[in-house]
Amino acid sequence: MKRVLWLGNPLFGNIVNRLPEPRGFQVRVETFHKPRILTWEDITALAGFEPDVLVFGDNSSPPSLLGLESYPCLTVFACVDSHVHSWYPLYAQAFDLCTVNLRDHLPQFLGPRLDEGRVLWSPPFAWDEDVFIPAEKSLDMIFVGKDDPLLTPGRSAMLAELRRRFPGFRCTTGNYRAMFPTARLVFNYSDLGDMNFRIFEALACRGCLVTPRIGHGLEEMFADGEELFLYDPGDLEGLCALVARLLADEPLRERVAAAGQAKVDALHRARNRAAVFAAWLAGQPAAELLERRKREARAIHAQVLKPLYLHWSQALADTPLAQVYLDAARRGLGLGAAQTGLGPDAASACPREGVGGP
């Protein structure tokens, strides 16, 4: 049984152990959403064992793993936010394998060390807890998510216009599982053209979903007009006409909502992503990949990690992390915990959001 340590964003990591065919993997998940700095010594101390596979779940933070190029186990970057962080495709080249949420970004991750067999498209999904909770439909349409004119100006402007045109439209935050069933339509908006989790959450809760046409394989996964409804992001009048038509056709809404839920239940839950991931991981030539990284470790540091460390030492100037990244850039291979001078939680002062890529 191969031992897998899954760090950061857990995604579907915990589900692998519950699969009918776990493919010989036993996964332990150590979740953290705040940035952390970890060396190999930190990782083995945290786990209590030396993993055969290390998965880092994207938590939208600066590089967390120091000495990554010399880790003595298979390494996987589970990437989610490539629409936000332009440095992710470069960072991925320091790992043996990579999963990518956004299908249209896959070519960006192909490079010197990652070919098509080493990069897996792993789209968002619905959680097991995302289920239909029957409720009276008291609203025409609902949006559950952030509405902040400063942080999401495009979204806020769209929501304001829709509220003006449709008085029965409500924007809120909170327990989406209880809220989605209270509306005839569930509205989704994508600020940066990403395929967000709201799509799968809404469908799993049997919401009649109106969501933007954003690519990334969405139309291959779900049929427009049969399992959800798509609108063109730049066509406000077309969107409003679609909403008006749907509000007047309850049988269509109910039929499409049920079909969307059935599709998610069959193909797009956490267990589905976990099964695909486990099968893909089991098929990788682990020994060959490790030997290759051992040979290329110095080049990986020089060409991939050092530029990123230098960038983050500047981006985080006047914080304790600036010197850590500068030292990592200078020292290269095998930077240990004693050399950092900081514990694993030293990155707690580092902002998680709003720090751009190189």
Side-chain angles (χ1 to χ4, degrees), residues 75-327:
T75 57
V76 186
F77 180 28
C79 177
V80 176
D81 290 332
S82 57
H83 61 294
V84 176
H85 303 295
S86 61
W87 55 279
Y88 276 3
L90 175 62
Y91 187 47
Q93 302 305 312
F95 292 79
D96 301 311
L97 302 166
C98 182
T99 70
V100 178
N101 259 31
L102 301 178
R103 192 187 69 173
D104 296 348
H105 290 184
L106 285 173
Q108 300 175 28
F109 286 80
L110 302 180
R113 301 197 64 254
L114 294 175
D115 58 25
E116 292 182 352
R118 307 292 176 256
V119 181
L120 174 70
W121 178 39
S122 184
F125 51 85
W127 305 99
D128 288 345
E129 295 81 7
D130 295 334
V131 296
F132 175 55
I133 302 174
E136 178 185 357
K137 295 191 181 302
S138 57
L139 301 172
D140 283 340
M141 187 164 64
I142 193 169
F143 174 81
V144 182
K146 185 182 295 183
D147 179 6
D148 187 324
L150 294 178
L151 297 177
T152 57
R155 176 193 298 181
S156 292
M158 172 70 81
L159 297 178
E161 181 61 20
L162 290 174
R163 285 196 299 269
R164 187 181 71 82
R165 298 199 186 199
F166 299 97
F169 178 38
R170 181 186 179 195
C171 301
T172 186
T173 58
N175 182 0
Y176 65 83
R177 293 170 183 138
M179 294 177 183
F180 285 155
T182 67
R184 297 172 183 86
L185 298 173
V186 175
F187 181 71
N188 185 36
Y189 186 88
S190 175
D191 288 275
L192 297 173
D194 58 305
M195 183 188 296
N196 52 44
F197 277 79
R198 192 180 295 108
I199 294 169
F200 301 85
E201 294 162 351
L203 294 174
C205 296
R206 204 185 298 176
C208 184
L209 179 64
V210 178
T211 192
R213 197 184 305 274
I214 44 82
H216 297 302
L218 179 61
E219 292 181 74
E220 285 75 20
M221 288 192 285
F222 300 103
D224 183 20
E226 298 178 16
E227 294 158 338
L228 47 62
F229 293 96
L230 299 176
Y231 68 89
D232 294 320
D235 184 6
L236 175 62
E237 296 306 321
L239 168 61
C240 290
L242 173 63
V243 170
R245 177 169 67 87
L246 296 177
L247 289 177
D249 194 337
E250 180 179 0
L252 176 61
R253 295 196 310 269
E254 294 298 319
R255 183 170 67 250
V256 169
Q261 181 191 30
K263 176 63 73 68
V264 167
D265 287 346
L267 298 174
H268 302 298
R269 288 194 173 272
R271 59 180 175 269
N272 303 108
R273 302 293 183 259
V276 171
F277 174 81
W280 173 73
L281 185 60
Q284 297 296 328
E288 176 185 322
L289 294 175
L290 282 172
E291 181 59 31
R292 178 186 174 188
R293 178 155 49 80
K294 182 179 179 180
R295 295 193 308 267
E296 299 176 352
R298 292 191 179 278
I300 293 169
H301 178 266
Q303 299 169 16
V304 176
L305 294 174
K306 183 176 180 179
L308 290 174
Y309 292 153
L310 289 173
H311 163 75
W312 284 106
S313 72
Q314 296 174 9
L316 300 174
D318 301 322
T319 75
L321 277 181
Q323 189 62 48
V324 173
Y325 283 123
L326 185 58
D327 289 344

